[in-house]
């Protein structure tokens, strides 16, 4: 049997597993005990949370310098043959902007690459046709010039327009123009069914012109392990998995289940399961010592998931955030409000950043009254900042659209939207970008990126002095 | 909008637990300073709620007399 028939695995235990099940609450000493072993399992790619969200959690929540975390990743994976993949949002590199200009984007990713020289791949989440036309032309060369291969993750939506033909058309265009290393079917909300996969995968495969396709499927409907079997029956060989306890639930297929089924089907693999068990034991110990959930099982098929479409990465975050808001008891009401907002907004794909601001708007609607207070992101959405056709703006409730665009704060957002495309394509000097952030034009790129991604230096200045030796340990 | 209190002041308050910012992003000027004249539509601050942002208009015409919340600090709704 040729080696091309083997499984190719992208591990996302410490990124999407943590995001789905631990609300991004994974500190230095929860990751350090497993990092070297992750590099020795035989994964083809290891996805790490090198993005502003996790950097913020590191500094703001754990008072740990995020640079120490990234340094540890680099040190522990130095001898690994696995690719290192970073989760990215393209031009949305910071916590407070929808999109950024080319210079800021380049500076941030160049700094990430300097901090983590091992990084060689970048998840490129693709939700809208606008992105392929507006942003791909410069983001692909930008990444490739720094030795990072962008991997298009095609976010699967549930609106009337999200047909197999729609995705095949996008894949065909991207394959012809950019020839990526692989495509990924990103089942962000875990609602993929075997029936849909049997139509979607062949359509995308046929359009990809030989470029392989991977399945990245969350477990909200409890079917992702079986979806992987269906995928293997169709000839799909690339999958995203997690090591328990960060698998199952709203997270990804367990590496154990995928490997067991693959072996049953006679499909070879390179995975060292015993090493996975070592990783599992250490994650269980550290996770439960902190208070993270470590008993994560397959979820039941729940029709309500098809209403709120909350992706795996958001649901655990939502519980944590509602607790911080002081209204944890309103989770169910928030879930019920979400489909009303989705309808109001024309059914955008429920993926970051949409999923977060839809959930937050739902919390505000529940607590204060429907659309009594509106997030800036909802106004920007109505203005087409996140894309027009495929984001769903054309299908919005016109009354809600009018209300959002009539708010006092809409004026500045609309002004910015009008020049959004020009701003995104602009390329000011690095000195100008630094000065715009209140820094000296001679400030280091590292300090610029730290101030930008952490929204200031306040949290960094509060980090525990003395480095990892003084950070809290859980083993 | 809050009521006018006995001193003729109107409080611009957070309705839910939030983080308060005096400017749109690091390096940008503050939305308002003490002494500034504002009208109902003037954006006076930014609140971060569950990782999302909401620009807050003054909701009233007048003069900024005090900025009580600390920049980048938590603010909570007033419990009656």
């Amino acid at each position: 049997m040729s080696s091309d028939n083997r499984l190719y695995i992208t591990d996302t235990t410490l990124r999407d597993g943590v995001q789905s099940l631990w609300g991004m609450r994974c500190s230095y000493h929860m990751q350090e005990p497993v990092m070297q072993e992750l590099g020795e399992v035989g994964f083809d790619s290891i996805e790490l949370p090198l993005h502003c969200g996790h950097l913020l959690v590191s500094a703001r929540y754990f008072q740990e310098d995020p640079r120490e975390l990234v340094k540890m990743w680099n040190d522990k994976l130095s001898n690994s043959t696995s690719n290192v993949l970073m989760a990215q949002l393209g031009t949305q590199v910071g916590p407070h902007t929808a999109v950024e200009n080319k210079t800021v984007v380049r500076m941030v990713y160049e700094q990430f690459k300097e901090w983590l020289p091992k990084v060689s791949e970048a998840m490129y989440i693709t939700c809208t046709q606008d992105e392929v036309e507006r942003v791909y032309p410069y983001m692909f060369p930008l990444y490739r010039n720094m030795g990072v291969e962008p991997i298009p993750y095609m976010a699967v939506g549930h609106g009337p327009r999200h047909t197999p033909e729609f995705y095949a058309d996008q894949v065909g265009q991207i394959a012809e123009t950019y020839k990526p290393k692989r495509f990924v079917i990103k089942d962000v909300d875990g609602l993929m069914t075997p029936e849909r996969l049997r139509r979607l995968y062949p359509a995308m495969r046929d359009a990809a012109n030989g470029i392989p396709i991977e399945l990245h499927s969350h477990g909200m409907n409890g079917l992702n392990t079986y979806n992987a079997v269906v995928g293997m029956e169709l000839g799909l060989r690339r999958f995203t998995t997690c090591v328990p306890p960060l698998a199952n639930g709203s997270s990804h297929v367990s590496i154990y289940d995928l490997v067991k089924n693959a072996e049953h089907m006679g499909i070879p693999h390179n995975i060292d399961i015993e090493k996975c068990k070592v990783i599992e034991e250490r994650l269980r110990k550290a996770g439960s010592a902190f208070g993270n959930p470590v008993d994560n099982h397959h979820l039941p098929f729940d029709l309500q998931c098809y209403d709120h479409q909350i992706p795996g990465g958001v649901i655990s975050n939502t519980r944590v955030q509602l607790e911080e808001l002081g209204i944890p008891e309103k989770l169910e009401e928030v879930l019920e409000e979400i489909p009303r907002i989705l309808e109001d907004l024309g059914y955008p794909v429920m993926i970051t950043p949409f999923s977060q601001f839809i959930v937050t708007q739902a919390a505000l609607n529940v607590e204060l009254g429907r659309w009594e207070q509106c997030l800036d992101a909802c106004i920007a959405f109505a203005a087409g900042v996140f894309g027009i056709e495929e984001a769903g703006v054309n299908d919005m409730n016109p009354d809600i659209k009018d209300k959002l665009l009539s708010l006092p704060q809409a004026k500045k957002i609309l002004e910015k939207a009008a020049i959004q495309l020009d701003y995104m394509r602009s390329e000011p000097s690095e000195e100008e970008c630094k000065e715009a952030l209140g820094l000296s034009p001679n400030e280091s790129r590292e300090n610029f990126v730290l101030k930008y991604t952490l929204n200031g230096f306040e949290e960094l200045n509060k980090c525990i002095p003395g480095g990892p030796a003084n950070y809290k340990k859980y083993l | 909008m809050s009521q006018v209190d006995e001193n003729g002041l109107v409080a611009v308050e957070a309705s839910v637990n939030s983080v308060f910012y005096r400017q749109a992003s690091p390096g940008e000027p503050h939305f308002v300073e003490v002494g500034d004249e504002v009208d109902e539509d003037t954006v006076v601050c930014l609140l971060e709620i569950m990782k999302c942002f909401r620009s807050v208009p003054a909701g009233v015409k007048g003069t900024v007399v005090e900025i009580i919340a600390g920049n980048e600090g938590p603010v909570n709704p007033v419990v009656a």
Side-chain angles (χ1 to χ4, degrees):
Chain A
M1 193 171 288
S2 83
S3 62
D4 283 339
N5 191 44
R6 72 163 175 94
L7 286 186
Y8 290 77
I9 304 295
T10 296
D11 173 81
T12 190
T13 304
L14 294 183
R15 205 285 293 175
D16 223 355
V18 163
Q19 193 166 321
S20 299
L21 297 174
W22 286 2
M24 288 206 280
R25 301 294 189 256
C26 191
S27 70
Y28 183 101
H29 285 296
M30 290 189 226
Q31 299 186 37
E32 192 271 348
V34 302
M35 191 56 66
Q36 183 161 331
E37 283 73 12
L38 270 177
E40 295 168 352
V41 168
F43 296 123
D44 293 275
S45 297
I46 297 170
E47 188 185 353
L48 295 175
L50 182 56
H51 58 76
C52 64
H54 201 90
L55 302 184
L56 262 176
V57 167
S58 186
R60 179 184 284 181
Y61 190 79
F62 291 111
Q63 288 88 53
E64 296 173 357
D65 190 325
R67 291 170 293 182
E68 295 287 358
L69 185 68
V70 181
K71 182 176 181 302
M72 179 269 290
W73 294 343
N74 211 57
D75 291 344
K76 294 289 187 180
L77 294 175
S78 57
N79 294 324
S80 174
T81 56
S82 303
N83 298 305
V84 173
L85 167 74
M86 57 177 174
Q88 287 304 327
L89 293 173
T91 57
Q92 190 190 2
V93 291
H96 52 275
T97 61
V99 292
E100 260 301 345
N101 66 58
K102 287 185 184 182
T103 308
V104 169
V105 170
R106 177 178 54 75
M107 288 169 72
V108 169
Y109 289 133
E110 283 178 349
Q111 187 58 53
F112 284 178
K113 176 72 175 175
E114 184 176 302
W115 281 335
L116 189 62
K118 282 282 293 184
V119 70
S120 58
E121 298 177 336
M123 169 198 285
Y124 199 117
I125 301 172
T126 303
C127 300
T128 72
Q129 181 63 30
D130 306 60
E131 288 164 290
V132 179
E133 289 171 356
R134 290 191 309 193
V135 185
Y136 268 50
Y138 69 86
M139 284 305 296
F140 258 70
L142 186 151
Y143 278 127
R144 284 175 167 165
N145 284 342
M146 61 179 79
V148 174
E149 180 64 22
I151 311 291
Y153 275 59
M154 313 305 294
V156 176
H158 303 279
R161 57 191 178 277
H162 297 124
T163 61
E165 292 72 33
F166 167 76
Y167 288 104
D169 185 54
Q170 280 208 311
V171 164
Q173 284 183 46
I174 296 169
E176 183 181 343
T177 309
Y178 299 100
K179 297 178 178 46
K181 188 175 177 183
R182 64 180 180 275
F183 287 96
V184 179
I185 299 173
K186 187 168 172 53
D187 174 28
V188 298
D189 34 31
L191 300 181
M192 181 65 68
T193 61
E195 293 82 11
R196 189 174 184 192
L197 185 63
R198 286 193 178 100
R199 296 192 304 271
L200 181 64
Y201 168 64
M204 292 173 73
R205 176 200 60 208
D206 294 347
N209 198 23
I211 297 171
I213 294 179
E214 176 178 323
L215 179 61
H216 167 112
S217 186
H218 284 269
M220 288 308 294
N221 65 1
L223 296 179
N224 60 349
T225 304
Y226 181 53
N227 286 338
V229 169
V230 169
M232 287 191 281
E233 288 173 348
L234 294 168
L236 205 161
R237 291 292 179 265
R238 291 165 192 265
F239 298 91
T240 306
T241 65
C242 289
V243 178
L246 286 162
N248 301 320
S250 58
S251 179
H252 289 270
V253 178
S254 162
I255 185 63
Y256 301 147
D257 292 339
L258 182 73
V259 162
K260 185 178 178 189
N261 286 325
E263 289 175 352
H264 197 268
M265 296 169 75
I267 297 172
H269 64 85
N270 293 338
I271 301 301
D272 183 339
I273 287 293
E274 292 308 310
K275 197 125 306 185
C276 292
K277 290 178 182 173
V278 170
I279 293 167
E280 177 187 1
E281 184 193 347
R282 293 177 188 171
L283 285 174
R284 281 191 184 283
K285 196 168 177 182
S288 56
F290 175 77
N292 280 327
V294 295
D295 290 323
N296 300 301
H297 304 288
H298 293 288
L299 294 174
F301 187 87
D302 180 356
L303 282 169
Q304 191 189 22
C305 292
Y306 288 85
D307 294 336
H308 60 63
Q309 299 177 31
I310 288 188
V314 174
I315 201 158
S316 70
N317 280 339
T318 303
R319 282 201 191 93
V320 170
Q321 288 166 348
L322 289 180
E323 283 169 8
E324 291 169 357
L325 219 56
I327 49 169
E329 72 282 1
K330 297 200 176 173
L331 177 60
E332 196 59 31
E333 287 180 66
V334 169
L335 293 180
E336 289 169 4
E337 171 63 10
I338 288 170
R340 296 184 203 114
I341 294 179
L342 283 173
E343 185 178 358
D344 286 341
L345 297 183
Y347 302 104
V349 175
M350 271 291 272
I351 190 175
T352 305
F354 305 119
S355 56
Q356 183 60 62
F357 71 72
I358 287 169
V359 169
T360 303
Q361 187 64 54
L364 289 178
N365 285 6
V366 163
E367 186 67 356
L368 305 171
R370 299 204 82 233
W371 300 106
E372 278 297 311
Q373 289 188 4
C374 305
L375 296 172
D376 288 4
C378 291
I379 300 169
F381 178 91
V385 166
F386 297 105
I388 296 286
E389 290 192 5
E390 294 319 314
V393 176
N394 289 340
D395 298 327
M396 277 186 76
N397 178 321
D399 294 332
I400 300 298
K401 187 175 180 181
D402 286 345
K403 180 192 167 96
L404 289 168
L405 296 180
S406 305
L407 289 170
Q409 58 268 43
K411 185 176 174 220
K412 280 205 170 167
I413 294 172
L414 283 168
E415 283 170 1
K416 195 170 179 183
I419 59 171
Q420 188 79 52
L421 193 56
D422 287 341
Y423 178 71
M424 229 168 58
R425 289 177 176 164
S426 71
E427 211 162 352
S429 68
E430 293 192 4
E431 291 76 18
E432 286 172 311
C433 294
K434 291 170 186 173
E435 286 180 307
L437 206 59
L439 294 169
S440 154
N442 298 320
E443 187 62 77
S444 69
R445 183 185 61 198
E446 178 171 282
N447 279 345
F448 168 82
V449 171
L450 283 168
K451 186 172 184 185
Y452 185 87
T453 56
L454 299 180
N455 217 22
F457 287 122
E458 183 138 341
E459 267 106 8
L460 197 64
N461 293 336
K462 291 178 186 169
C463 287
I464 298 165
N470 295 338
Y471 296 165
K472 187 163 181 180
K473 296 184 173 59
Y474 300 95
L475 286 181
Chain B
M1 193 188 73
S2 299
Q3 302 294 322
V4 180
D5 72 10
E6 63 271 15
N7 298 314
L9 300 179
V10 175
V12 179
E13 297 168 332
S15 302
V16 296
N17 296 348
S18 315
V19 177
F20 170 79
Y21 295 95
R22 291 192 59 187
Q23 66 278 336
S25 57
E28 290 201 36
H30 292 162
F31 289 112
V32 292
E33 303 290 353
V34 171
D36 283 355
E37 299 291 324
V38 299
D39 63 28
E40 294 87 345
D41 293 348
T42 307
V43 172
V44 296
C45 69
L46 195 68
L47 292 182
E48 182 186 349
I49 308 143
M50 288 170 66
K51 290 191 213 162
C52 298
F53 294 90
R54 186 174 79 87
S55 297
V56 181
V60 65
K61 189 170 179 174
T63 308
V64 178
V65 299
E66 190 179 4
I67 300 170
I68 299 172
N71 195 20
E72 302 182 27
V75 287
N76 309 106
V78 174
V79 178

